[in-house]
Amino acid sequence: MSTDMQTPVQGRPIAESRGDRIRRVLSSRFASIFALVIAVLWTIPTAGLFISSLRPEDDIRASGWWTVFTDPSFTLDTYNYVLYSDSQGGGLIRNLVNTIVITIPGVLVPVAFAAMAAYALSWIDFKGRNLLYIAIFALQVVPLQMALIPLLSFFSQGLHIGDLAIMPAWNLSGVNTIVQVWIAHSIFGLPLAIFLLHNFMRELPSDVMEAARIDGASHSQIFRKVVLPLVTPAIASIAIFQFLWVWNDFLVGRTFGGGEATRPLTAVLGDMAGTWGFGWTRLPAAAFIAIIVPLVVFLLLQRYFVRGLLAGSVKG
Amino acid sequence: MNISALADRFGLLVIGLVAFLAILLALYGLAELASRRDRSRAVATVFLAPAVIFLLVGLVYPAVRTLVMSLFSGDGTEFVGIDNYKWAFTNPDALQTIANTAAWIVIVPLLSTGIGLVYAVLIDGRRGERTYKALVFLPMGISFVGASIIWKFIYQYKASGEQIGLANQVRTWFGLDPINWLNVSVLNNLLLMVVLIWIEVGFATVVLSAALKGVPTEIIEAARIDGASPSQIFWRVTVPSIRSAIIVVAVTVFIATLKLFDIVRAMTGGHHGTDVLAHNMWDQAFRLGNDGRGATMAVLLFALVVPVVIYQVRNMRRQELEGR
Amino acid sequence: MSKRRIFCLAAAASAIALAAAACGAPDDEGEDRGAVPDDATDCANYEQYGDLEGETVSILGSIRDTEADEMVEAWSYFESCTGATIDYEGSGEFESDMKVRVDGGNAPDIALFPQPGLMANFAADLKPASDEVSKLATEGWTEDWLNYGTIDGTLYAAPNSSNAKSFIWYSPSFFSDNGYEVPTTWDELIELSDTIAADGVMPWCVGFESGGATGWPGTDWIEDIVLREGTDLYDQWVNHEIPFNDPQIVAAIDKAGTILTNEEYIYNGTDTISSTAFQEAAYPILDGGCAMHRQASFYGAMWPADTNVAEDGDVFAFRFPESNEGDNTMLVGGEFVAAFDDSESTEMVRQFLASELYHNARLQTGPWSTARQGVDPANATTPINQFATEILTDPAVTVRFDGSDLMPGEVGASSFWTGMVQWVDGDKTSQQMADDIEASWP
């Protein structure tokens, strides 16, 4: 666009040519439309789910959700059923409780351990530090599906070398198997958490650390009093990431839990439709119950999420 | 849900949290002891021990086991050398799976990042920017299982009668025949990708939009004074200044795409030519009883991420040189 | 989105939850829902199982939702009378859940296998049937059935539910109004189809679409036809003693093609078969759009809620006709009760699940059918299940299990399905389809 290069140098072009103006207005109008289209397109699917969840089940089967605009008909029956029914195809309230009980430690444990590890990897000098960090980074790609069987047999059979039991079998049952779910989630969340926190911690100004050390602070004191307060945004963002992951998990909960009694919300979603898939009309309500909590949390904490993620990894 | 069931679960939660706190305090005490004697190695050990033990048990051992299993037969009893790899690169279904995965890892990160970037630029500074952002960001909080249910209401197909899937309803409005979207090969792959893109664009938008705010306005102003057009500013100023954020987004989406399994599982089950590595790995190992082939698919998955790891390592080296 | 708006969103969501809560727990009602019969509520009938107070037995199966509720109800008196707890878990990912748990050393005490082939994969971890369970199984089921619970000569499992698959659904009133007779041979079936077509109605409704499992209803067609060419041929085919592309099998596929690929026969045309959902495929029978639909007895539960499923009602089923004079065969499906644990409580649950008491009770808690000798088919809650149970408990009927559930997963749950789709779409000939499936046999 060589013509543009010839326009006057003083601030905004004073005498904008007509062509340029049209182009500018057009592009701004185009921009508005494009942004609006994307926003609408992105919202329609979720809106469709929400509307479907409020429709009578027979209607869901018979017509599309958009027909409510011409022929409105709403009910809370499906919500009532999926939340409180005693049937196998409902009673999500118990799964909601399971999900909450699973999620809290499933977020706290890996974030705490990752913070400690990330500190050691970024501010304590020891041999093989970089190698260890790279190894942990690479672990991000191990598909967790392949870890299910070995980890499960670790819990159910313990760890033996020959006849020597290094760790006995856990023999947990019922509700207590949730402990296994906590540990599994912690393990699978660690590599990403360590990676992000490490990125963030390395960026801390070294003179602050130096000063603290000269003042005689030990590593554990520096970690607690200097580093932790400074990396709070990063920790918040990783906690949100991990929260989403644990809440939305489908495999870990059903594998390491003790059956029906401990299943989290997302894991039962797929099973709700019944043996022959005939109860799929309940899925919108069930799915909406499952997604509303992470959505609200996510939207509320969006700012922290971005701040932490960005500050940690932008440089490079 | 009765009271005792609630008490059981929350009781366990409280016990678990107390135990965890005790462990943290114990570790902290140990680290303090080691710090006093100024033993960096010992301190590092205490700080790293929990994470490293977890990772060894839960990820390193399984990864090694997978590598070994990929050299064995389906039931894991017979050593077959590289037969499984030969299968992966000669069997038409396996090749199709690999080809699909290749398409996924190119298209999804590219489109997610691209749309996210354009959208972020377009809404930057616009009135209602936060609402715009939130609307697109929403899907990011939805599970893959939830997303699959949502999109069934888009792709749903009925041979005749009233449509309940939006996409076919739109076709019907235009007088076209409905299509059974998810059974039409090649197209169905793209439609599954759309679901993931729908989820990831929000992530890209939010991260890139924040990065945009970090671009000093003076630079853009200067470019404008120099008479650069909006598109020139975009390509020559904006994109280079947030290059690293773009890379972070692309890499994150890349890894998520590679590991994607749930959408395919829930929507097509990998049939009709829509299988991808992560799903086929699951299918082979857990449904078809071919542990060896499943493990092979997992190893191919690792292999695809190696370039990203190498990139990251080089990046770190460079930072190391620049930083200290 | 502003904080306030998010707050509103959250408030709206909680409001929905609260409103739903205010309605209280919903009642589960359904007209076919029965109750546990009196003799099964009497604790005297459970004395033989002893005192199992405090014991828990876990069961994993693929049965979910209402069906699971009815099953749990049928054993609820076993629990209250013996003091044992049965933890049932219904999984939509049964195959993979089983694999992960068994290999991870965390197998359920009992699993309800819908596929004998899958069960055989776990033979090393299974506990064989005890003498007592074997005795119950032998008095309760015909040899045909027990063969499918037997691995390498050892009996491992007795069946739970059974369903009759060789069923053709039709409208009794449509048949009688037009003077059509229910056909008893293949030739009569084709003759009838021609007559109906000549009268201006499409004789057949067919739908193979079933999400990720699209194509499976087609495999049942082929199985039904091969079975009627001869049970020996069927067994050889399923056990891969003859190749999948054996000329006799290709001929059977061609035979299925005389209906499935016949433009004169198929409602909406053959090109809609692979994309018509099997759950709703037969609905046009109700308004005279087509005359017949081949689907198992469980289809009785899939008709719209106000359909009268009875011999004198809107729809009913007749048996898939025989090809050879004097044959009396039935293709079946069902679950097998296999155990991974040999504790006293698990053993007692196995014995109970193989007993007449349980099968009779289950028959009355909801729509269900069984092959257990000694039950009274009249106890079934619906006419179609009564019909199915009558056939299934008739020792004179030769029974063969659904072949695709016996073949290896690569075939029975994969290439056979896709092959059927490609064949019915006209993309492959019978020979090509059979060749491709044979090539995929591991």
Side-chain angles (χ1 to χ4, degrees):
Chain A
M1 287 235 208
S2 54
T3 50
D4 285 342
M5 291 309 194
Q6 293 155 9
T7 45
V9 190
Q10 248 60 356
R12 280 192 143 271
I14 300 155
E16 209 177 20
S17 79
R18 238 171 90 188
D20 278 348
R21 226 184 100 212
I22 291 168
R23 211 171 297 140
R24 193 167 57 80
V25 170
L26 264 186
S27 83
S28 125
R29 184 149 305 159
F30 168 77
S32 301
I33 293 170
F34 185 79
L36 206 64
V37 165
I38 296 231
V40 169
L41 277 183
W42 253 248
T43 318
I44 284 178
T46 322
L49 182 83
F50 179 61
I51 294 172
S52 296
S53 73
L54 291 169
R55 300 180 72 210
E57 288 189 56
D58 287 342
D59 288 11
I60 299 178
R61 218 181 283 282
S63 61
W65 54 262
W66 48 90
T67 55
V68 296
F69 297 113
T70 51
D71 179 19
S73 150
F74 296 103
T75 175
L76 285 174
D77 285 356
T78 330
Y79 276 100
N80 194 22
Y81 182 85
V82 295
L83 271 176
Y84 301 107
S85 157
D86 291 331
S87 165
Q88 289 255 339
L92 282 184
I93 195 85
R94 60 179 177 238
N95 306 103
L96 189 66
V97 171
N98 288 339
T99 296
I100 294 169
V101 171
I102 287 172
T103 305
I104 297 172
V107 171
L108 292 181
V109 175
V111 170
F113 286 170
M116 291 167 60
Y119 175 76
L121 289 172
S122 32
W123 292 103
I124 303 180
D125 274 319
F126 63 94
K127 235 175 99 185
R129 188 174 78 172
N130 283 346
L131 203 66
L132 185 61
Y133 169 69
I134 290 166
I136 291 177
F137 172 80
L139 282 178
Q140 269 189 80
V141 306
V142 177
L144 88 91
Q145 289 93 332
M146 299 315 280
L148 296 179
I149 289 174
L151 190 56
L152 186 60
S153 69
F154 174 78
F155 289 134
S156 61
Q157 283 156 8
L159 191 62
H160 303 269
I161 294 180
D163 288 335
L164 181 71
I166 295 180
M167 200 198 71
W170 289 32
N171 285 327
L172 297 176
S173 67
V175 174
N176 293 335
T177 53
I178 287 182
V179 174
Q180 299 175 4
V181 184
W182 290 342
I183 292 176
H185 273 308
S186 303
I187 291 174
F188 299 138
L190 273 174
L192 183 68
I194 293 177
F195 166 67
L196 292 176
L197 274 173
H198 173 264
N199 280 347
F200 200 94
M201 285 189 190
R202 313 168 39 90
E203 312 264 302
L204 297 176
S206 50
D207 36 342
V208 176
M209 305 301 229
E210 234 19 80
R213 214 164 292 158
I214 288 164
D215 285 349
S218 66
H219 272 302
S220 44
Q221 282 164 334
I222 297 178
F223 174 68
R224 194 175 50 133
K225 293 183 182 146
V226 181
V227 174
L228 275 188
L230 286 173
V231 298
T232 313
I235 287 185
S237 99
I238 289 153
I240 297 169
F241 234 124
Q242 180 71 6
F243 165 80
L244 285 179
W245 161 244
V246 174
W247 187 284
N248 288 336
D249 153 74
F250 151 82
L251 278 179
V252 175
R254 73 187 298 146
T255 303
F256 295 99
E260 208 84 19
T262 59
R263 280 209 188 173
L265 211 45
T266 318
V268 292
L269 268 189
D271 295 344
M272 288 200 64
T275 321
W276 299 102
F278 215 55
W280 65 270
T281 46
R282 279 179 227 134
L283 290 179
F288 200 76
I289 292 168
I291 67 182
I292 187 66
V293 174
L295 274 190
V296 170
V297 168
F298 203 35
L299 289 177
L300 279 176
L301 302 180
Q302 180 186 342
R303 196 175 334 166
Y304 304 94
F305 176 74
V306 177
R307 198 187 294 161
L309 197 73
L310 213 62
S313 42
V314 157
K315 201 179 164 195
Chain B
M1 184 111 217
N2 54 37
I3 301 295
S4 87
L6 268 179
D8 275 1
R9 286 164 177 77
F10 285 110
L12 184 72
L13 177 62
V14 171
I15 294 171
L17 289 177
V18 169
F20 175 59
L21 203 68
I23 292 171
L24 280 186
L25 284 176
L27 284 170
Y28 189 75
L30 273 176
E32 190 63 47
L33 268 177
S35 290
R36 294 231 174 102
R37 299 186 189 167
D38 199 27
R39 288 199 186 137
S40 291
R41 256 191 102 80
V43 184
T45 311
V46 174
F47 270 75
L48 283 164
V52 169
I53 292 172
F54 269 23
L55 291 173
L56 281 177
V57 172
L59 287 173
V60 175
Y61 166 64
V64 174
R65 177 178 175 272
T66 304
L67 211 61
V68 174
M69 268 168 51
S70 75
L71 303 175
F72 281 81
S73 64
D75 53 4
T77 50
E78 198 188 327
F79 182 80
V80 296
I82 58 164
D83 275 10
N84 289 321
Y85 292 89
K86 275 193 202 143
W87 166 83
F89 289 108
T90 52
N91 180 288
D93 290 338
L95 284 174
Q96 161 112 61
T97 302
I98 295 173
N100 287 345
T101 305
W104 276 80
I105 57 179
V106 172
I107 295 174
V108 174
L110 209 65
L111 284 184
S112 304
T113 317
I115 298 177
L117 178 61
V118 171
Y119 188 69
V121 170
L122 290 182
I123 63 170
D124 194 38
R126 190 175 286 274
R127 219 161 57 93
E129 181 185 342
R130 288 158 67 95
T131 311
Y132 271 111
K133 228 187 279 180
L135 286 179
V136 169
F137 199 38
L138 212 90
M140 178 82 193
I142 295 173
S143 64
F144 287 133
V145 181
S148 305
I149 295 169
I150 290 179
W151 281 83
K152 272 193 182 152
F153 283 92
I154 307 283
Y155 296 149
Q156 184 74 255
Y157 161 85
K158 274 191 179 178
S160 56
E162 209 169 331
Q163 295 299 326
I164 50 175
L166 185 59
N168 275 323
Q169 179 67 66
V170 171
R171 278 185 69 91
T172 318
W173 278 328
F174 284 102
L176 299 166
D177 283 335
I179 294 180
N180 195 356
W181 301 105
L182 295 179
N183 280 10
V184 182
S185 194
V186 184
L187 175 68
N188 50 10
N189 279 300
L190 296 173
L191 295 173
L192 293 185
M193 290 180 205
V194 166
V195 181
L196 187 58
I197 293 172
W198 176 69
I199 291 173
E200 300 290 353
V201 162
F203 170 74
T205 303
V206 171
V207 174
L208 296 177
S209 159
L212 281 177
K213 305 263 183 269
V215 179
T217 38
E218 304 89 68
I219 305 185
I220 295 179
E221 211 42 53
R224 192 169 288 152
I225 289 168
D226 286 346
S229 71
S231 71
Q232 280 175 321
I233 294 177
F234 177 75
W235 286 112
R236 302 207 187 140
V237 183
T238 316
V239 171
S241 7
I242 57 166
R243 186 179 140 267
S244 52
I246 295 176
I247 291 172
V248 167
V249 169
V251 167
T252 313
V253 177
F254 174 85
I255 293 183
T257 310
L258 207 53
K259 286 177 146 183
L260 177 96
F261 139 90
D262 322 51
I263 293 179
V264 174
R265 174 97 215 95
M267 298 196 78
T268 63
H271 295 284
H272 307 290
T274 56
D275 223 349
V276 293
L277 275 182
H279 178 264
N280 190 261
M281 163 190 82
W282 166 266
D283 226 24
Q284 294 288 350
F286 298 139
R287 281 190 57 234
L288 302 177
N290 287 325
D291 297 23
R293 287 180 185 172
T296 304
M297 288 310 202
V299 173
L300 294 183
L301 253 176
F302 298 148
L304 280 169
V305 192
V306 167
V308 179
V309 175
I310 292 173
Y311 172 81
Q312 190 64 26
V313 170
R314 288 178 46 186
N315 216 5
M316 215 172 82
R317 287 262 161 77
R318 211 175 61 219
Q319 277 186 8
E320 202 84 352
L321 290 176
E322 287 169 0
R324 294 177 199 178
Chain C
M1 195 178 273
S2 72
K3 272 227 171 102
R4 208 181 56 214
R5 227 169 291 171
I6 293 162
F7 177 78
C8 291
L9 189 70
S14 346
I16 290 169
L18 283 177
C23 309
D27 299 320
D28 298 316
E29 94 291 348
E31 60 238 58
D32 297 333
R33 206 64 200 273
V36 183
D38 288 344
D39 64 327
T41 61
D42 182 357
C43 277
N45 287 322
Y46 296 90
E47 268 166 17
Q48 52 176 308
Y49 302 113
D51 181 13
L52 303 172
E53 194 63 50
E55 300 288 333
T56 300
V57 176
S58 61
I59 302 186
L60 182 70
S62 60
I63 297 162
R64 307 188 289 286
D65 198 24
T66 328
E67 281 181 274
D69 298 339
E70 291 159 359
M71 181 167 74
V72 169
E73 200 184 334
W75 65 48
S76 58
Y77 286 89
F78 175 87
E79 292 180 281
S80 56
C81 292
T82 62
T85 308
I86 298 180
D87 251 350
Y88 177 72
E89 184 181 4
S91 166
E93 300 277 346
F94 178 78
E95 294 151 307
S96 50
D97 278 353
M98 278 308 296
K99 167 82 177 172
V100 171
R101 291 193 201 178
V102 173
D103 284 9
N106 193 26
D109 296 331
I110 291 177
L112 306 178
F113 282 100
Q115 302 119 326
L118 182 69
M119 182 173 82
N121 292 348
F122 295 107
D125 298 287
L126 290 175
K127 306 290 181 207
S130 65
D131 292 345
E132 196 55 38
V133 172
S134 299
K135 198 175 137 251
L136 284 162
T138 328
E139 71 175 47
W141 284 272
T142 59
E143 212 183 316
D144 285 345
W145 274 101
L146 295 185
N147 279 339
Y148 293 113
T150 305
I151 306 165
D152 292 334
T154 311
L155 178 72
Y156 282 91
N160 179 37
S161 85
S162 316
N163 48 65
K165 294 203 137 196
S166 301
F167 269 10
I168 294 175
W169 292 84
Y170 73 112
S171 160
S173 57
F174 177 78
F175 267 46
S176 60
D177 289 354
N178 292 283
Y180 303 140
E181 294 279 329
V182 166
T184 52
T185 66
W186 174 265
D187 293 335
E188 282 176 26
L189 183 70
I190 297 297
E191 223 170 276
L192 175 66
S193 303
D194 286 335
T195 314
I196 295 174
D199 290 351
V201 174
M202 281 299 175
W204 291 96
C205 271
V206 189
F208 287 179
E209 205 275 334
S210 176
T214 296
W216 74 259
T219 66
D220 284 8
W221 268 96
I222 307 297
E223 287 155 14
D224 259 336
I225 289 170
V226 174
L227 174 58
R228 280 162 188 84
E229 297 302 310
T231 44
D232 289 343
L233 176 70
Y234 185 83
D235 291 339
Q236 288 168 356
W237 173 54
V238 167
N239 297 329
H240 208 226
E241 284 152 18
I242 56 169
F244 201 105
N245 53 358
D246 186 275
Q248 299 174 83
I249 303 302
V250 177
I253 300 170
D254 281 332
K255 195 168 175 181
T258 55
I259 291 177
L260 297 178
T261 58
N262 188 337
E263 252 352 298
E264 312 288 308
Y265 279 4
I266 307 296
Y267 180 76
N268 271 344
T270 56
D271 56 339
T272 63
I273 291 179
S274 64
S275 54
T276 302
F278 89 96
Q279 290 101 330
E280 286 148 27
Y283 288 9
I285 291 179
L286 294 172
D287 47 28
C290 63
M292 294 179 281
H293 177 73
R294 198 227 74 97
Q295 190 51 274
S297 54
F298 60 70
Y299 197 80
M302 294 189 188
W303 293 97
D306 51 355
T307 311
N308 181 9
V309 184
E311 197 151 10
D312 53 358
D314 302 326
V315 284
F316 205 62
F318 59 82
R319 287 175 63 179
F320 198 93
E322 300 295 340
S323 295
N324 302 317
E325 189 82 27
D327 278 1
N328 189 3
T329 54
M330 177 53 70
L331 188 72
V332 297
E335 307 97 34
F336 285 81
V337 185
F340 290 90
D341 172 78
D342 51 8
S343 69
E344 174 75 6
S345 49
T346 305
E347 169 64 19
M348 288 305 150
V349 173
R350 286 178 90 181
Q351 289 184 16
F352 173 64
L353 292 181
S355 72
E356 197 188 311
L357 183 67
Y358 164 72
H359 282 260
N360 240 327
R362 176 65 187 92
L363 211 49
Q364 293 174 64
T365 53
W368 201 65
S369 49
T370 176
R372 178 69 164 84
Q373 301 293 322
V375 299
D376 182 1
N379 282 338
T381 56
T382 64
I384 191 70
N385 282 306
Q386 182 180 338
F387 184 45
T389 304
E390 275 164 11
I391 299 167
L392 292 165
T393 53
D394 179 356
V397 177
T398 306
V399 160
R400 284 297 178 272
F401 207 86
D402 186 331
S404 55
D405 289 337
L406 300 167
M407 296 173 183
E410 286 97 329
V411 179
S414 193
S415 65
F416 199 177
W417 293 348
T418 28
M420 286 311 298
V421 172
Q422 291 162 335
W423 172 75
V424 83
D425 282 347
D427 297 339
K428 279 184 186 166
T429 66
S430 305
Q431 185 69 49
Q432 283 169 333
M433 164 193 163
D435 289 347
D436 285 356
I437 297 174
E438 174 58 26
S440 73
W441 203 292

